[in-house]
Amino acid sequence: MPFSFLASDPTVRRNWSISLCPLCYIAPANGYAKYDCAAGILHTVFFHRTLSLVRPKDVDCKFLEITYVQCGLPELEKEIDEKIEQFIAWVEKHPNRRSQVCLSFFDEKSKNPGWFVNKTERIYWEQWFINLHVTSPKRESNSSKGLTNIGWNALVETSSRHAALESSINEVLFQIINFANEKKDHIPAIPDRIFNHEIMIPRDDSSSDSVFGWNTDVIRRVLNSGHPYSL
Amino acid sequence: MAAAAGASEPPMVEQVITEFFAKSLHIILESRSPYDSSRNFTRPSPPSSPLSGSQPRDRWFNLALRDCPAALENFDLWRQSNLEPLVIDIVLLQRDSTKTTSAGAGRIIERWVIKYEANRSGNGSKNTGKKSRSSSAHDHSLYRRAYSGSTVLFRSLYLVVRLLPAYHLFQELNSSGRIRPLSLSHKISSFVEPFTRAEDADMKHYAFAPIETHSGLLSLSVSYAPVLEVAAAPEPTTPMATELIMDYVGSPTTDFLRKFNSLPSDGIAPACVAMTRRHSWSTEHGAGPSASPSHMPTNNSPTTYPHQHSTSSSGKKRDTVNEECYPSPPLSPSPSRSPSSHPRNPFFRYESAPLSIATARAGGGGTRLPPSPHRKDKQQCSFQNENLIHSPSDKSIVTNDLVRVGEVRNEKSLQKVLSFGKDDLVYFPGVKLARTSSKLFIMDELDEQELVFAWEDKDAIIDQLNRIDLSDRENPDSSQEAGGLLTRSPDAAIGILMRILKSAPGLRERLLTAPAAPVPQEPSSLQRVVTEEHGSGESSSAMVPSALLRSRTAADALEELNRYKEIRESILNRGKGHPRDTKMEEKPADGDP
């Protein structure tokens, strides 16, 4: 996993960029699968990084046999749902495209406070890059086989893809658990509310590379924050 | 060691250590001990016991959980052990026939181990440079690190217990209140009982990142079975009907059923075997359908026969036949054998609705016989589909559903009846076949009229069926008169026949009013008379078989039969020298130009 830190001084807050391995195939027509994958991952990250008082809420995936946990905070859940819907809409517009969702936690700090200017800068102390690749299934040609054969083969293929997706999501969730527990010294003091965060999803009006164009914004922001890090 | 470690820790950290054990136990048991789940907890729980300290126990580490009695009880017991390892075994128990379970038996599917390992040197040695700072600040820093680290760890623990395989089993057991053969139990101890080599080989291990404290290390790990071999299977809510309704279909040892075994569809009975709908026929009593003469239909009024009650429902059933006929790929079409060793095709509907002979509207001829039952299942279904052409209210509906066969006592007779063609079997749309003792009853359900014929040979049945077809085509409305014939009991039929004969015009009148037509001298005088009868549109060479092929009602057929009898008698009497008959016969001849 490509993450590292530069500063050796333990007092310097380290910015972690954690990249999760790409997920396997998700049936594009299966809205539930896309929602389950995205929601399960995002809520799991937030659950590990929302250190204020939470009342956990178990959520059973509709498509996958996985139970993930939400923080039980209505505002956060609403925000995540909106982002997921936007992400799914983008995926449906751009099938077979690699996509990435970035979840960032930051602190806001006043920069060069003045009489008339009050700029704030964001200091990102943790970023999660979630890579997703939604592909279309290869449709079987309508051969002379009977309808039952095509249906049976499709069912078997769907079942195997379902199992593979479930296994992949399970693995990703365990990765999140590992990362969240291994590196926690950089986490700020426990606040009485949710940490400042932002969820970035691919946009249609990005630069040349519509999938990764927003990364330039992220890099620019990181460079301006004064805490360089490398992937 | 534990006591020494406890003494070297600051009081705040020691409290974190104590609550670490309690919280771990709480999270694990509330998702493994049925009925103690805080699933979807949305409200804050009441303050816990005073042992928890200043904060309510359930809010420790900013993770609000509902009280778990099992966890509280067990932790109070463990607390006396003074920070010894806490080993939680999740045991899968199988209930025996007496529905008793014992904690000793069963299989350990998860083992959680929570322990505090003190460093002899203590972690304080790393902080020697910080000893100059105020101890309270230092302690506070250590407390914050331990507390925030534990907070993140318990977030992970809460999620991990839901990702492990045992959680699905717990959900299954907790969701329904039914008594199941499996149950989950837990065993708490302070020592780790080692697994056997085989058990250890099957187990997977996962360890959380340890939490460093001032003088030690808090660790939490789990050994779990990745695959649960015994899964809690849901109990069937409705028992499956695997037995035939004996009084409906008849004895399973009948040759009719054996006949189905010879069909090419893997010995699966065709869709014509009625099994589900209770039928009013009671062939055991040796009588026909339960209708009495008083229930005879006269003016096409609906019968009161009990088996007619689902005429409309049979229509609905027909609509669903199409769907159920096509086998679905994932299901193995292996027929389940009933105790009567009669194979059933799960993809066929076994209905009680009878078949009916294809009438003229259906485009079938009088000699139309159902397709061969040697067709494959789909073809049989498609045959059924072809003939579902009308709504249930249409009398000319052809129902292709099933043939109901009553109890057969005479095996040979039934074989004759059923083997109309060599391979054409039992598919008689619109006709119910029922056999009582040595008689075969043919019923036409569509017109709600029934014919009762006592035939014992195949040819006679074919002839009768042909007559029915002909009469239906020609005079469908004249069936009113034939209502007397369309009864079940022979006595009723005779009664109706007598009525017809009484009301029928006299033979002389018919002969006198019949148009004179040249009748060639045919070898048979009977033929001449027949030609007179049908002289209007028939050619002189009309033969008897062609006349019979025309659509006629049963009443007409009987009338004609009676006429033939009278003519026969007249011929015989003529031979004996009766002048009257001679006159009747010669008159047409005198009329020749």
Side-chain angles (χ1 to χ4, degrees), chain B residues 56-125:
Chain B
R57 180 172 294 174
D58 60 341
R59 294 167 67 98
W60 266 92
F61 307 106
N62 284 340
L63 191 65
L65 301 174
R66 189 177 293 175
D67 283 344
C68 178
L72 288 172
E73 177 183 339
N74 285 284
F75 182 71
D76 288 342
L77 292 172
W78 172 87
R79 199 171 182 280
Q80 301 168 7
S81 62
N82 201 12
L83 292 181
E84 285 182 358
L86 185 61
V87 180
I88 307 168
D89 287 337
I90 306 298
V91 184
L92 181 64
L93 300 172
Q94 198 148 8
R95 294 179 188 273
D96 54 6
S97 58
T98 60
K99 295 186 179 180
T100 57
T101 56
S102 60
R107 177 193 164 197
I108 298 175
I109 58 175
E110 280 181 1
R111 171 169 287 172
W112 300 85
V113 178
I114 306 131
K115 55 185 175 181
Y116 170 78
E117 293 176 347
N119 295 327
R120 290 187 180 180
S121 57
N123 287 336
S125 61

Side-chain angles (χ1 to χ4, degrees), chain B residues 31-32 90 109-110 161 163-171 184 225 228:
Chain B
S31 62
R32 293 292 185 270
I90 306 298
I109 58 175
E110 280 181 1
V161 295
L163 293 178
L164 294 181
Y167 185 68
H168 296 291
L169 182 60
F170 163 77
Q171 273 186 308
L184 281 176
L228 295 179

Side-chain angles (χ1 to χ4, degrees), chain A residues 20 36-50 57 59 61 66-71 76 80 84 103 105 126 128 130 169-178 180-181, chain B residues 152 155-156 158-160 163:
Chain A
L20 301 173
D36 285 347
C37 293
I41 293 170
L42 287 176
H43 280 288
T44 298
V45 174
F46 272 106
F47 187 62
H48 281 84
R49 288 295 181 256
T50 303
K57 188 168 83 173
V59 178
C61 291
I66 291 176
T67 299
Y68 63 91
V69 184
Q70 294 181 356
C71 297
L76 179 62
I80 293 175
I84 291 174
L103 175 54
F105 296 96
E126 192 172 271
W128 298 76
I130 304 162
I169 295 296
N170 226 5
E171 188 180 333
V172 169
L173 295 182
F174 269 100
Q175 282 184 7
I176 295 172
I177 291 169
N178 292 337
N181 279 273
Chain B
V152 177
R155 299 285 199 272
S156 301
Y158 192 89
L159 186 60
V160 166
L163 293 178

Side-chain angles (χ1 to χ4, degrees), chain A residues 142-153:
Chain A
N142 291 327
S143 61
S144 59
K145 296 179 184 176
L147 178 66
T148 59
N149 284 342
I150 291 175
W152 174 250
N153 291 336

Side-chain angles (χ1 to χ4, degrees), chain B residues 244-284:
Chain B
L244 299 176
I245 300 174
M246 304 307 289
D247 61 345
Y248 179 79
V249 177
S251 170
T253 60
T254 56
D255 288 337
F256 170 75
L257 298 176
R258 284 184 205 153
K259 191 84 177 179
F260 287 123
N261 290 339
S262 66
L263 296 176
S265 54
D266 297 329
I268 298 170
C272 60
V273 177
M275 293 183 185
T276 56
R277 207 174 83 186
R278 197 179 73 83
H279 206 280
S280 62
W281 292 355
S282 175
T283 58
E284 294 177 0

Side-chain angles (χ1 to χ4, degrees), chain B residues 214-497:
Chain B
H214 181 264
S215 304
L217 209 66
L218 281 168
S219 64
L220 195 154
S221 62
V222 59
S223 301
Y224 64 96
V227 177
L228 295 179
E229 295 171 357
V230 182
E235 294 176 359
T237 53
T238 56
M240 292 185 63
T242 57
E243 295 189 10
L244 299 176
I245 300 174
M246 304 307 289
D247 61 345
Y248 179 79
V249 177
S251 170
T253 60
T254 56
D255 288 337
F256 170 75
L257 298 176
R258 284 184 205 153
K259 191 84 177 179
F260 287 123
N261 290 339
S262 66
L263 296 176
S265 54
D266 297 329
I268 298 170
C272 60
V273 177
M275 293 183 185
T276 56
R277 207 174 83 186
R278 197 179 73 83
H279 206 280
S280 62
W281 292 355
S282 175
T283 58
E284 294 177 0
H285 302 290
S290 58
S292 63
S294 62
H295 289 259
M296 287 187 310
T298 52
N299 294 321
N300 288 332
S301 58
T303 61
T304 58
Y305 304 139
H307 68 278
Q308 300 290 343
H309 72 282
S310 60
T311 305
S312 59
S313 62
S314 63
K316 292 177 189 173
K317 285 185 181 179
R318 283 182 224 119
D319 296 331
T320 57
V321 160
N322 304 342
E323 301 167 358
E324 298 185 9
C325 277
Y326 292 98
S328 57
L331 301 177
S332 167
S334 57
S336 60
R337 292 199 168 260
S338 64
S340 62
S341 70
H342 169 61
R344 296 183 64 185
N345 186 349
F347 303 116
F348 277 100
R349 284 188 59 121
Y350 294 97
E351 291 188 350
S352 61
L355 301 181
S356 61
I357 295 179
T359 59
R361 293 192 195 183
T367 54
R368 181 183 177 186
L369 290 176
S372 167
H374 288 294
R375 283 181 176 185
K376 291 185 178 179
D377 298 344
K378 280 193 176 180
Q379 291 176 348
Q380 288 173 345
C381 293
S382 62
F383 166 71
Q384 294 189 6
N385 299 338
E386 288 165 9
N387 289 278
L388 300 177
I389 53 175
H390 294 289
S391 63
S393 58
D394 192 342
K395 289 185 179 178
S396 64
I397 286 171
V398 176
T399 58
N400 293 330
D401 297 328
L402 304 163
V403 170
R404 182 186 178 280
V405 178
E407 190 172 6
V408 175
R409 294 187 188 178
N410 193 335
E411 177 180 305
K412 287 187 180 178
S413 302
L414 179 62
Q415 282 181 340
K416 287 180 186 177
V417 167
L418 296 179
S419 60
F420 290 102
K422 189 95 183 197
D423 299 323
D424 292 341
L425 225 296
V426 303
Y427 291 91
F428 289 101
V431 174
K432 287 185 286 185
L433 296 178
R435 190 174 181 88
T436 63
S437 64
S438 61
K439 295 183 180 180
L440 178 69
F441 293 89
I442 303 175
M443 323 282 253
D444 185 351
E445 187 192 30
L446 296 178
D447 296 338
E448 299 183 345
Q449 296 165 346
E450 297 174 0
L451 294 167
V452 175
F453 303 96
W455 304 104
E456 292 188 359
D457 59 315
K458 173 183 70 174
D459 297 331
I461 295 171
I462 293 176
D463 291 341
Q464 188 58 44
L465 295 176
N466 292 339
R467 284 181 207 132
I468 293 169
D469 203 3
L470 290 170
S471 62
D472 283 343
R473 273 191 243 161
E474 192 175 326
N475 264 328
D477 295 334
S478 64
S479 59
Q480 297 181 12
E481 289 187 353
L485 295 172
L486 306 178
T487 60
R488 296 179 181 177
S489 63
D491 295 335
I494 293 171
I496 295 168
L497 181 62

